[in-house]
């Protein structure tokens, strides 16, 4: 759209852009002048049935995670629709990525270790919260100005594909990242980038001639051991291995200094385009068209998670979502329902005062956006709701009957005690057995009369053979004979002992009997 060529929802777009499987990422400048990011979703992807709703759900989950105190994620500021376009706006820069820094040979062993520790800690926190990243690779690892590694695009690839990645996929991706960094330390390869289709591809000698100098055999071995440890014992063990193996790194420390210098050097990508000049003081704002948020409805007081949208802004629908209307800092400002200033609407949209109400103002003030613009799940129409209520009444009656039968059956079954072995007894022959004797040792197992299965073993003192057997019990018997047939051969005189062992149900029980064999 022509009206989003230079900006979207108050975010100014720069000329630094790159393609991913989701769409086009663009370095941006937030309404308060800080570095941020904007993702323009590929319309062929976001327009597929159900994709937009799943992406919105993933973004709302991200906002709840950030609000709950989980660090290590690129915070989402908003997700907006402008006509047919759908944008994801972040409150923090999404570049440089690990791929960017690797391509210029700016990741040293200490910085690589810091990246691995940071990403492992973030993944552990996500898994503890019951979610996964699902698409960890160098393009989704962002290096902040403080040298800390942050993760972007959490859950977005899964939302587009309509799947939920297990934690094992994150673990395998982290181990692959560790191996790639180990390979780069050797100077023989680099951290793989990701193209628009999401397929890995090796950067052309990303570390250049400095690769070998930056690396070291000890660091390579440390990263490879961390990858193997993650695969075998998990991310926590791999993280602890890196923290405990710092002596393998230059200076014996995990250093972020190289990452900080490299990240600050890349901040030039956030320059304002030359063709966009700041408006003169008092000049009217540029009309960006009808821009609506997909994360919350104004006046609801929240944005899909605790504390509302990212930044904790509160107040009525007329308050700018980023505090720009009150001149406050990014994410600040509170509203007052009785304020008399001009109406403010939309994420980042500037102040306007017109005699005639525009479409976007009506959307934000009255919340009557059409379904094809908002595509919000959970909008219930009256007639459909009444029909569902009728079906619910019938279903509830049927469910009540089924549950009553299930409860009666459970109560009846609950009267039957669990199987237990009360006692065992073993009895052998009292007379001395002669040559080539076939001896029968009698064993008796007494139960509590419950049906089930008893596992037991016979063991002989003359050899290492263990005879394993299973006894099926019934509710009409308590005593069961379990004989052992033992044939002895050879010319000798021995005291033979047969031992009966009940393995399950517990507790373990044993009894034995002996007899004399003489030939």
């Amino acid at each position: 759209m022509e009206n989003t060529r230079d900006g979207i929802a108050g975010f100014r777009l720069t000329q630094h852009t790159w393609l991913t499987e989701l769409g086009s990422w663009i370095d941006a400048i937030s309404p308060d002048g800080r570095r941020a990011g904007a993702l323009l979703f590929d319309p062929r992807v976001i327009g597929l049935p159900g994709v937009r709703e799943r992406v919105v759900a993933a973004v709302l989950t991200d906002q709840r995670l950030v609000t709950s105190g989980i660090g290590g994620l690129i915070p989402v500021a908003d997700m907006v629709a402008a006509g047919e376009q759908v944008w994801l706006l972040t409150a923090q820069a999404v570049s440089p990525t690990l791929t960017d820094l690797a391509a210029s040979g700016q990741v040293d062993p200490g910085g690589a270790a810091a990246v691995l520790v940071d990403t492992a800690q973030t993944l552990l926190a996500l898994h503890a919260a019951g979610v996964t990243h699902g698409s960890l690779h160098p393009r989704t690892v962002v290096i902040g100005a403080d040298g800390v590694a942050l993760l972007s695009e959490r859950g977005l690839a899964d939302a587009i594909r309509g799947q939920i990645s297990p934690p094992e996929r994150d673990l395998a991706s982290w181990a692959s990242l560790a191996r790639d960094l180990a390979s780069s330390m050797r100077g023989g390869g680099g951290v793989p980038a990701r193209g628009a289709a999401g397929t890995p591809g090796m950067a052309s000698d990303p570390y250049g001639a400095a690769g070998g100098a930056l690396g070291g055999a000890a660091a390579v071995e440390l990263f490879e051991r961390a990858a193997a440890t993650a695969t075998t014992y998990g991310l926590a063990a791999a993280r602890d291995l890196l923290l405990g193996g710092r002596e393998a790194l230059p200076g014996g420390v995990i250093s972020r200094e190289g990452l900080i210098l490299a990240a600050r050097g890349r901040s030039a990508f956030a320059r304002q385009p030359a063709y966009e000049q700041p408006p003169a003081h008092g000049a009217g704002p540029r009309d960006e068209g009808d821009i609506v948020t997909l994360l919350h409805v104004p006046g609801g007081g929240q944005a899909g998670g605790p504390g509302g949208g990212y930044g904790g802004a509160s107040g009525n629908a007329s308050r700018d979502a980023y505090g720009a209307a009150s001149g406050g800092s990014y994410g600040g400002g509170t509203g007052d329902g009785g304020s008399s200033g001009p109406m403010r609407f939309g994420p980042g949209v500037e102040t306007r005062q017109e005699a005639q109400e525009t479409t976007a103002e009506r959307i934000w003030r009255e919340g009557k956006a059409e379904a094809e613009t908002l595509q919000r799940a959970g909008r219930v129409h009256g007639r459909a709701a009444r029909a569902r209520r009728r079906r619910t009444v019938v279903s509830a009656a049927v469910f009540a009957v089924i549950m009553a039968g299930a409860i009666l059956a459970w109560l009846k079954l609950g009267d039957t005690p669990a199987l237990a072995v009360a006692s065992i007894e073993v009895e052998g022959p009292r007379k001395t057995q002669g040559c080539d004797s076939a001896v029968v040792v009698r064993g008796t197992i007494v139960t509590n009369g419950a049906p089930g299965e008893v596992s037991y073993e016979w063991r002989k003192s003359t050899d290492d053979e263990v005879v394993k057997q299973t006894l099926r019990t019934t509710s009409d018997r308590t005593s069961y004979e379990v004989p052992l047939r033992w044939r002895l051969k050879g010319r000798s005189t021995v005291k033979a002992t047969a031992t009966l062992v009940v393995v399950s149900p517990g507790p373990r029980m044993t009894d034995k009997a002996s007899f004399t064999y003489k030939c």
Side-chain angles (χ1 to χ4, degrees), residues 4 102 136 176 209 251 300 313 346 368 401 452 454 465 472 480 510:
T4 60
L136 174 68
S176 177
K368 296 181 178 179
V401 173
V454 177
E465 180 185 6
R472 297 291 300 179
Y480 299 87
T510 62

Side-chain angles (χ1 to χ4, degrees), residues 34 63-64 66-67 75-78 91 303 306-314 320-323 329-334:
R34 293 191 292 177
Q63 290 189 324
R64 287 192 289 270
V66 173
T67 303
V76 174
D78 206 347
Y310 179 79
S314 61
D320 180 87
Y322 303 109
S329 61
Y330 188 79
T334 58

Side-chain angles (χ1 to χ4, degrees), residues 98 112 115-117 119-120 123 127 136-138 141 167-184 186 190-192 194 220-236 238-239 241-242:
L98 183 58
V115 168
L116 291 175
V117 171
T119 52
L123 291 177
H127 297 172
L136 174 68
H137 52 77
V141 178
E168 290 75 16
R169 179 170 182 177
D170 285 349
L171 190 148
S173 298
W174 187 92
S176 177
L177 185 64
R179 293 189 185 97
D180 291 335
L181 288 170
S183 177
S184 70
R186 289 196 195 93
V191 178
R194 293 248 171 181
V220 169
E221 181 183 1
L222 175 63
F223 296 155
E224 289 180 342
R225 284 195 294 125
T229 300
T231 303
T232 307
Y233 300 105
L235 282 172
R239 175 203 58 194
L241 174 67
L242 290 169

Side-chain angles (χ1 to χ4, degrees), residues 433-452:
Q433 303 297 304
C435 299
D436 298 333
S437 298
V439 180
V440 177
V441 180
R442 302 187 181 279
T444 303
I445 297 178
V446 179
T447 71
N448 63 345

Side-chain angles (χ1 to χ4, degrees), residues 31-280:
D32 65 350
R34 293 191 292 177
R35 294 190 64 210
L39 170 62
L40 174 59
F41 286 97
D42 186 338
R44 296 168 298 180
V45 173
I46 200 68
L48 295 175
V51 169
R52 182 186 292 200
E53 289 77 10
R54 293 195 298 267
V55 170
V56 169
V59 172
L60 290 174
T61 298
D62 264 18
Q63 290 189 324
R64 287 192 289 270
L65 293 172
V66 173
T67 303
S68 65
I70 293 182
L73 296 176
I74 294 291
V76 174
D78 206 347
M79 182 174 174
V80 300
E84 297 299 323
Q85 294 181 344
V86 177
W87 294 78
L88 179 72
L89 305 174
T90 65
Q92 195 162 335
V94 289
S95 71
T97 65
L98 183 58
T99 298
D100 297 330
L101 300 188
S104 56
Q106 294 176 292
V107 182
D108 60 352
V115 168
L116 291 175
V117 171
D118 290 343
T119 52
Q121 189 62 35
T122 301
L123 291 177
L124 286 170
L126 292 176
H127 297 172
V131 298
T132 58
H133 186 281
S135 184
L136 174 68
H137 52 77
R139 270 295 188 192
T140 58
V141 178
V142 179
I143 308 301
D146 55 357
V148 175
L150 305 174
L151 300 184
S152 65
E153 299 183 12
R154 192 220 65 82
L156 296 185
D158 281 355
I160 287 175
R161 296 185 178 94
Q163 66 183 24
I164 299 177
S165 293
E168 290 75 16
R169 179 170 182 177
D170 285 349
L171 190 148
S173 298
W174 187 92
S176 177
L177 185 64
R179 293 189 185 97
D180 291 335
L181 288 170
S183 177
S184 70
M185 294 300 109
R186 289 196 195 93
V191 178
R194 293 248 171 181
T199 56
M202 297 299 290
S204 176
D205 192 14
Y207 284 84
L214 291 176
V220 169
E221 181 183 1
L222 175 63
F223 296 155
E224 289 180 342
R225 284 195 294 125
T229 300
T231 303
T232 307
Y233 300 105
L235 282 172
R239 175 203 58 194
D240 295 342
L241 174 67
L242 290 169
L243 294 174
R246 285 172 285 191
E247 66 277 1
L249 303 173
V253 295
I254 296 177
S255 173
R256 304 181 190 274
E257 293 181 4
L259 296 177
I260 293 173
L261 292 175
R264 289 177 179 175
R266 304 282 296 192
S267 63
F269 283 119
R271 289 192 301 265
Q272 186 174 332
Y275 54 77
E276 181 183 358
Q277 300 298 329

